[in-house]
């Protein structure tokens, strides 16, 4: 009886499908969308920030994450705006790993509640995600992740 039970269990198990190869890797991902290139399944946040739009009387908190995908060897920014009047600018910046001039990978104008995602940049660079609101931060300060 025990042998029969084991045999029936083995028959139920099926091999899993091989993981799909990512659509790009490292610098080949620069400027591409993570979700369209199979880069989100293994991704995790490597740095985050929270901020309040200075115009929001309720002081609701917006949140930004810098994501990294080991399979793709790339990073990108994800920002969730929670205030209908949020007019931030979201920027993904990069620079050579050992220093150099900052380069703008992407700049997105945030206009209201929603989730905003940048394109990717190779993890071979130092990368930072920032959100600034000229109306909420008259001194021009931005809220940023640490450089990764």
């Amino acid at each position: 009886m025990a042998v029969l039970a084991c045999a029936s269990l083995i028959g139920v198990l099926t091999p899993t499908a091989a993981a799909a190869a990512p659509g790009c890797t490292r610098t080949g991902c620069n400027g591409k969308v993570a979700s369209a290139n199979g880069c989100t399944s293994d991704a995790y946040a490597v740095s985050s920030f929270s901020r309040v739009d200075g115009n929001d009387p309720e002081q609701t908190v917006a949140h930004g994450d810098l994501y990294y995908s080991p399979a793709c060897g790339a990073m990108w920014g994800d920002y969730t705006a929670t205030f209908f009047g949020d007019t931030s600018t979201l920027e993904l910046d990069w620079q050579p790993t050992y220093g150099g001039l900052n380069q703008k990978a992407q700049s997105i104008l945030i206009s209201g509640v929603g989730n905003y995602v940048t394109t990717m940049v190779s993890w071979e660079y130092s990368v930072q995600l920032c959100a600034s609101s000229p109306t909420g931060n008259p001194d021009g300060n931005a809220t940023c992740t640490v450089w990764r």
Side-chain angles (χ1 to χ4, degrees), residues 39-115:
C39 299
T40 58
S41 62
D42 69 336
Y44 57 92
V46 293
S47 187
S48 301
F49 66 81
S50 295
R51 65 185 289 277
V52 174
D53 185 296
N55 292 325
D56 183 5
E58 300 297 320
Q59 300 292 291
T60 53
V61 177
H63 185 80
D65 288 303
L66 183 62
Y67 278 95
Y68 167 65
S69 166
C72 293
M75 293 185 280
W76 66 92
D78 183 287
Y79 181 76
T80 302
T82 54
F83 174 54
F84 75 92
D86 191 342
T87 57
S88 303
T89 300
L90 184 67
E91 291 186 359
L92 185 68
D93 297 322
W94 67 273
Q95 62 180 242
T97 303
Y98 297 106
L101 297 176
N102 287 356
Q103 304 289 319
K104 189 175 313 303
Q106 188 174 23
S107 181
I108 300 172
L109 179 61
I110 305 302
S111 183
V113 175
N115 183 251

Side-chain angles (χ1 to χ4, degrees), residues 13-39:
L13 300 176
T14 57
T16 58
C24 62
T25 57
R26 299 186 181 195
T27 56
C29 291
N30 289 355
K32 294 183 179 179
V33 177
S35 60
N37 286 279
C39 299

